[in-house]
Amino acid sequence: MTANEPAGAVPSAAEGAYMNLELPHVRLAGEQAGVFSRDLVLDIWVDAEHVGTEDIWLKDEDELAASVEQGRFTPAQAAAVRSLADHAAEGFIRDGAWPLDEDWANWTPSASMDAPVRLPADPATRPRGL
């Protein structure tokens, strides 16, 4: 960011792409209403200057190993997470497919995306605590 850019400005050229590996979100109504997700700890970083090459890094491998030691993941679950990361790297990143295709690289959000989201009036579908 240069001195002439406003605070909070988004750089014109990203240094890379960060991908968080997680399970699909599940929205439940009823007594335990809420949106639930599970982070899979392991993340992927792709260097923007070398998309489609070997500059793909698995981030937080040490945290995944610690999760196994702490009993939050079994060794088989950790192996499955690593397999998902490999699949994402091969299926999306190395081929330059979405989310790293040329159209996505040029996407910018519309101003309407800054409008606040209205929560449903029904408490069964509203997140707890709101």
Side-chain angles (χ1 to χ4, degrees), residues 27 118-126 130:
R27 185 174 179 179
R118 299 189 63 64
L119 294 173
D122 179 4
T125 59
R126 189 172 57 224
L130 296 177

Side-chain angles (χ1 to χ4, degrees), residues 26-37 123-129:
V26 176
R27 185 174 179 179
L28 300 176
E31 197 172 302
Q32 299 246 339
V35 177
F36 301 89
S37 67
T125 59
R126 189 172 57 224
R128 286 182 288 193

Side-chain angles (χ1 to χ4, degrees), residues 2-14:
T2 67
N4 296 331
E5 291 177 332
V10 177
S12 59

Side-chain angles (χ1 to χ4, degrees), residues 85-129:
D86 290 343
H87 175 73
E90 290 301 321
F92 298 106
I93 300 167
R94 291 197 197 283
D95 293 340
W98 187 90
L100 300 173
D101 62 6
E102 195 169 304
D103 290 338
W104 180 250
N106 296 320
W107 179 84
T108 56
S110 69
S112 67
M113 292 184 82
D114 284 335
V117 175
R118 299 189 63 64
L119 294 173
D122 179 4
T125 59
R126 189 172 57 224
R128 286 182 288 193

Side-chain angles (χ1 to χ4, degrees), residues 9-74:
V10 177
S12 59
E15 292 178 24
Y18 168 85
M19 281 153 264
N20 187 51
L21 297 176
E22 60 187 50
L23 295 178
H25 294 215
V26 176
R27 185 174 179 179
L28 300 176
E31 197 172 302
Q32 299 246 339
V35 177
F36 301 89
S37 67
R38 174 131 190 219
D39 185 81
L40 297 178
V41 181
L42 198 60
D43 304 308
I44 299 172
W45 177 260
V46 182
D47 183 354
E49 291 185 31
H50 305 97
V51 174
T53 69
E54 66 280 352
D55 284 346
I56 299 169
W57 306 307
L58 294 180
K59 184 179 176 299
D60 300 330
E61 286 184 280
D62 58 333
E63 290 181 28
L64 184 60
S67 293
V68 171
E69 290 174 17
Q70 297 164 359
R72 296 188 305 135
F73 284 90
T74 67

